[in-house]
Amino acid sequence: MTYDKNNIFAKILRGEIPCKKVYENDYVLSFYDINPQKKIHVLVIPKGPYIDLDHFNKNASDKEIIEFNKAISHVSKLLNISNEERGYRLLSNIGTDGGQEVPHLHYHIFGGEKIGKMVS
Ligand code: AMP
């Protein structure tokens, strides 16, 4: 599988499409989902060209992997939904059966209310 440079998140990373930014550093970008499924629905993406978690873990540097993981907790703190507050749900869709629509690795962060059943 090859990375599609024209996917919507690649366009956001290149600044061709706007986003409502939550956080950014050299390795990650976090922004609000355009179609929120919960009171808080934020995405966290690596800046590198990775299709999904499997592709990322196989090809990314240790630094990229560490920074991506750390960014998720950092964003949860910025949103005031970390484990010390109300908590949140982290979700990543992978491939066809996973229901992934955008072929650039992303974690969904859901919070701000009870998230409910684990899978529907
Ligand atoms: P997935 O089904 O896991 O690939 O999720 C893709 C997510 O990207 C969906 O929740 C969409 O609402 C969201 N999305 C698509 N386009 C944009 C955009 N331009 N800005 C923010 N979120 C987007």
Side-chain angles (χ1 to χ4, degrees):
M1 250 200 298
T2 49
Y3 179 79
D4 170 14
K5 285 189 216 145
N6 287 317
N7 77 74
I8 199 127
F9 294 168
K11 289 180 179 173
I12 287 175
L13 283 169
R14 289 195 296 268
E16 294 166 13
I17 290 176
C19 70
K20 196 173 162 205
K21 195 188 294 183
V22 175
Y23 176 69
E24 181 173 17
N25 68 19
D26 287 347
Y27 298 91
V28 304
L29 176 66
S30 175
F31 50 95
Y32 284 93
D33 196 290
I34 205 166
N35 182 23
Q37 301 299 308
K38 294 290 171 191
K39 207 161 171 185
I40 295 174
H41 184 175
V42 162
L43 303 171
V44 184
I45 69 173
K47 287 194 169 175
Y50 304 111
I51 300 166
D52 58 27
L53 190 66
D54 296 343
H55 188 238
F56 182 65
N57 283 328
K58 194 166 167 196
N59 296 290
S61 67
D62 288 353
K63 179 75 173 161
E64 288 175 295
I65 292 170
I66 290 166
E67 291 294 332
F68 185 54
N69 269 280
K70 282 168 65 173
I72 290 160
S73 292
H74 184 65
V75 167
S76 78
K77 284 225 182 264
L78 292 178
L79 296 168
N80 299 313
I81 58 170
S82 75
N83 65 343
E84 285 157 15
E85 291 144 300
R86 293 173 56 110
Y88 59 98
R89 179 159 303 156
L90 189 63
L91 181 132
S92 190
N93 296 320
I94 298 169
T96 311
D97 277 4
Q100 182 176 6
E101 287 170 10
V102 179
H104 182 112
L105 171 60
H106 51 282
Y107 269 107
H108 297 257
I109 293 178
F110 298 107
E113 61 181 316
K114 289 271 186 217
I115 304 305
K117 278 207 306 191
M118 191 154 86
V119 179
S120 61

